[in-house]
Amino acid sequence: MGMKRNHDISMESTHGATTALCCSCGVPMVPNQSMRCAACLKAEVSITDGISRKVVLQRCRNCTRYNKPPWTACEPESRELLGICLKKIRGLGKDVRLVDAAFVWTEEHAMRIRVKITVQNEVAQSCVLQQTMVVEFQIVNQQCEDCQKSFTPHAYNAIVQVRQKVPHRRTFCYLEQLILKSDAHAKVTSLKETREGLDFYFETKSHAQSAAWSCLELPGAAWSWSCGLRRFADFVEAHVPTKSKQSKHLISHDANSNSYNFKYTIMCELCPICVDDVVHVPKGHSATLNGAPPLLLCHKVTNAIKFVDPISLRSYDIPTAEYWKRPVDSVCRTEHLTEYVVLNVEPVQKSEAAARQNTPVKKWMSLADVEVARACDLGVNDDRLIVRTHLGGILRPGRRVMGYDLRTVNVSGIDDEAFQGRCPDVVLVKKAYKRKNKRTWELKRLTKEAAEGEDPIDDDADMEALKRNLEEDPELRKSVNMYRAAEAPQQGGEEKADAAEEEDSDSDAPEVPLAELLEGLELRDD
């Protein structure tokens, strides 16, 4: 019955034309060279015999790029990946013409890609046959050349060493966030941290050049286009006062072709002065700063060091070049801070403050006479001090403030005569807050390796100090990307603890507004 129906359809399609019977099934058809109908041709002739049905596709496990060649990054089921797969198929050429290709769904972790292709071929004169088949690609992990060099020790051509001779790592934590903000680490093959700094390794000298190209539009950057390797070092110099030194080491030499193979190194020494440090200004340097007092407080570090006199509220700036000609030393650092309790605040009258010449940029700075007592002395003795400070705009009675007790500081190598009558007993630095333990935001970190023979470095305390500075300084947050932290489900006990913590924290404790946070970051251990 079915044969008769097909026969009737063939008769209708060939009505009015010269017909012949198929030599295989006997159905009337338009005669061709093979004398077979279309159904018999599909059943007896296969144009896909010479096309490979299983193909091996190389992919790098580390960078997830596919071997085209060269190694190319492709999204799953993208046009680029489909093009790489079609070029791997053997048998497609002038005789067998590709008509259509599409992906067939497979499991995400199956390590297989299936592609459905449609091909055409002329099997006889004026007789074209079209067939469809599925080609399966087996994904095989193979390490690309770039990843091989990154995992091989000493496979680098350029290195930038950043060093700072201080007992903490707050500057490196901030520099790390600046690098992430500008994506200056795109060409860094590996990053190793040592006890005194960081080592950035680059595959080639040109990669060190392009690593800082994205930072060109950052304010204050002075680029030296004549030296490509220096561009990453220039990025560091644009944000921190830096003294750099470049060197190169001969690796090999070909006398026949007169070619040399060097390894390039730039040593960047960062200024040891950090924010909230009290520095000593020598006599000779004091004259160049328009009669600056012997002790100054650092309130900002960029490509220049900015100081303020907490007694007169005068500000002083030392450019990078001038600092390295006549360095100044830190007398007190943040580890010497002492907690004080504010007992009384009396603002200084405008007539007394009118003599100042330079006013700092920060608007909350104002002169005031503050009566303080050490927090550890409360209930023990009645020692009180009246200190003139630049924090009069934010201090209130009952609040706590951090400061340096210069009466207990012992510094060698400094002339004591310069301090007579000009050195305060206490220098107040910043206001202290009771903060919440949990934050709604997080910072991204660079992947670092410990240097050979050294233990991993714990910088959690320095990161906590950086986060507190970001909460207090809106201007500092402009150069850092902060991301919303994933909210974990809380138990009943945790909710009570959070409520108690909310009551203990200060109402005026600074926080980062949600509008300044970015989304799209998932912090994982793997």
Side-chain angles (χ1 to χ4, degrees):
M1 189 69 179
M3 181 65 71
K4 186 177 185 301
R5 184 165 56 249
N6 293 336
H7 180 271
D8 295 339
I9 296 173
S10 300
M11 290 294 292
E12 292 177 0
S13 62
T14 58
H15 180 71
T18 304
T19 61
L21 298 178
C22 176
C23 63
S24 297
C25 64
V27 176
M29 65 172 189
V30 178
N32 54 46
Q33 188 176 3
S34 63
M35 295 303 293
R36 291 181 176 85
C37 63
C40 295
L41 283 174
K42 290 182 180 180
E44 298 177 6
V45 180
S46 176
I47 63 175
T48 61
D49 290 341
I51 301 176
S52 54
R53 295 181 178 272
K54 291 188 177 181
V55 184
V56 176
L57 185 63
Q58 294 86 8
R59 185 183 68 178
C60 180
R61 178 182 297 177
N62 185 47
C63 61
T64 65
R65 293 187 300 173
Y66 293 90
N67 190 7
K68 191 175 180 178
W71 294 88
T72 308
C74 302
E75 295 292 333
E77 298 188 4
S78 61
R79 296 181 58 183
E80 294 78 8
L81 181 57
L82 183 60
I84 294 176
C85 294
L86 294 178
K87 288 185 178 181
K88 297 282 185 179
I89 301 176
R90 296 182 179 181
L92 297 178
K94 295 182 179 180
D95 297 335
V96 180
R97 186 166 64 93
L98 180 65
V99 178
D100 188 21
F103 287 101
V104 180
W105 182 85
T106 55
E107 289 288 344
E108 183 179 359
H109 305 289
M111 299 294 290
R112 284 178 174 83
I113 298 177
R114 302 180 68 190
V115 179
K116 181 180 179 180
I117 62 173
T118 303
V119 294
Q120 289 182 350
N121 190 15
E122 186 177 4
V123 296
Q125 186 177 2
S126 68
C127 183
V128 178
L129 183 62
Q130 178 174 307
Q131 291 182 349
T132 302
M133 63 176 297
V134 176
V135 182
E136 185 177 284
F137 294 85
Q138 176 68 38
I139 299 178
V140 178
N141 290 324
Q142 179 181 348
Q143 201 173 44
C144 64
E145 292 81 0
D146 295 338
C147 293
Q148 288 178 0
K149 292 181 179 180
S150 63
F151 284 102
T152 304
H154 308 296
Y156 63 92
N157 184 258
I159 178 175
V160 178
Q161 297 178 334
V162 184
R163 297 290 185 268
Q164 187 181 32
K165 298 179 181 179
V166 291
H168 57 80
R169 301 181 66 86
R170 294 198 310 272
T171 305
F172 295 110
C173 293
Y174 177 61
L175 182 62
E176 180 180 347
Q177 299 304 317
L178 293 175
I179 293 173
L180 289 170
K181 172 82 172 181
S182 57
D183 197 24
H185 64 295
K187 295 297 183 179
V188 177
T189 58
S190 63
L191 173 59
K192 294 184 179 180
E193 57 179 353
T194 62
R195 185 174 56 87
E196 293 184 350
L198 299 172
D199 293 340
F200 298 87
Y201 293 87
F202 298 90
E203 181 182 347
T204 61
K205 184 178 178 180
S206 60
H207 283 181
Q209 171 182 352
S210 61
W213 176 267
S214 60
C215 312
L216 177 60
E217 297 182 357
L218 290 176
W223 301 103
S224 175
W225 301 109
S226 60
C227 184
L229 179 60
R230 284 197 51 84
R231 293 193 186 177
F232 190 84
D234 290 342
F235 167 71
V236 179
E237 293 178 2
H239 298 86
V240 184
T242 307
K243 179 176 64 176
S244 60
K245 179 181 179 182
Q246 183 176 358
S247 63
K248 59 182 180 180
H249 176 63
L250 180 63
I251 303 300
S252 60
H253 168 53
D254 188 358
N256 296 327
S257 60
N258 197 25
S259 61
Y260 298 83
N261 184 19
F262 291 97
K263 281 191 175 182
Y264 301 88
T265 303
I266 288 184
M267 176 67 177
C268 297
E269 182 181 354
L270 304 184
C271 168
I273 297 177
C274 302
V275 178
D276 298 336
D277 285 0
V278 173
V279 301
H280 168 249
V281 181
K283 289 183 178 180
H285 204 156
S286 177
T288 60
L289 292 176
N290 298 327
L295 291 182
L296 293 176
L297 176 65
C298 177
H299 69 90
K300 188 175 182 180
V301 177
T302 55
N303 52 357
I305 311 174
K306 301 180 182 296
F307 298 98
V308 62
D309 182 9
I311 298 179
S312 63
L313 205 61
R314 293 180 59 185
S315 61
Y316 305 89
D317 295 349
I318 301 180
T320 301
E322 294 297 329
Y323 170 79
W324 292 109
K325 290 180 181 178
R326 296 180 178 180
V328 294
D329 299 327
S330 296
V331 177
C332 299
R333 303 185 184 274
T334 53
E335 57 265 21
H336 302 139
L337 286 173
T338 305
E339 186 177 5
Y340 292 88
V341 178
V342 179
L343 303 178
N344 188 23
V345 178
E346 294 183 2
V348 176
Q349 299 298 328
K350 294 183 179 180
S351 58
E352 298 182 26
R356 63 179 183 270
Q357 299 178 0
N358 300 324
T359 303
V361 179
K362 298 183 179 181
K363 298 180 180 180
W364 49 263
M365 290 186 179
S366 62
L367 287 179
D369 291 333
V370 181
E371 185 179 3
V372 296
R374 291 197 306 178
C376 59
D377 292 341
L378 293 179
V380 179
N381 53 49
D382 196 23
D383 292 342
R384 300 182 181 185
L385 295 171
I386 297 179
V387 182
R388 176 160 292 190
T389 178
H390 63 294
L391 304 178
I394 59 176
L395 294 183
R396 298 294 180 269
R399 296 298 185 180
R400 307 214 168 193
V401 63
M402 306 299 294
Y404 296 111
D405 190 354
L406 300 182
R407 299 171 299 176
T408 60
V409 176
N410 185 13
V411 181
S412 60
I414 297 179
D415 187 9
D416 295 339
E417 296 181 357
F419 293 98
Q420 294 180 359
R422 305 182 64 184
C423 178
D425 293 336
V426 175
V427 176
L428 300 182
V429 177
K430 58 183 179 180
K431 187 178 179 180
Y433 300 94
K434 291 183 179 180
R435 307 170 189 262
K436 301 177 183 178
N437 293 330
K438 293 184 179 180
R439 291 185 174 92
T440 59
W441 55 277
E442 276 291 347
L443 296 176
K444 193 177 180 181
R445 301 297 305 273
L446 289 174
T447 303
K448 299 184 287 292
E449 303 175 1
E452 185 177 357
E454 294 189 7
D455 297 331
I457 298 175
D458 185 11
D459 58 355
D460 293 340
D462 298 320
M463 282 300 299
E464 177 64 23
L466 175 61
K467 292 178 180 179
R468 293 186 177 185
N469 293 336
L470 291 174
E471 291 175 342
E472 298 173 4
D473 193 350
E475 184 180 353
L476 190 65
R477 294 197 294 264
K478 295 180 181 179
S479 57
V480 176
N481 285 339
M482 294 177 290
Y483 301 87
R484 295 185 181 181
E487 296 182 359
Q490 295 183 349
Q491 305 294 333
E494 294 181 358
E495 294 180 357
K496 294 181 180 179
D498 293 343
E501 179 185 340
E502 184 77 20
E503 295 178 357
D504 294 340
S505 60
D506 292 339
S507 58
D508 59 343
E511 294 183 358
V512 179
L514 293 177
E516 299 182 12
L517 302 181
L518 302 177
E519 296 181 355
L521 175 69
E522 295 182 1
L523 300 177
R524 299 178 179 175
D525 296 336
D526 54 352

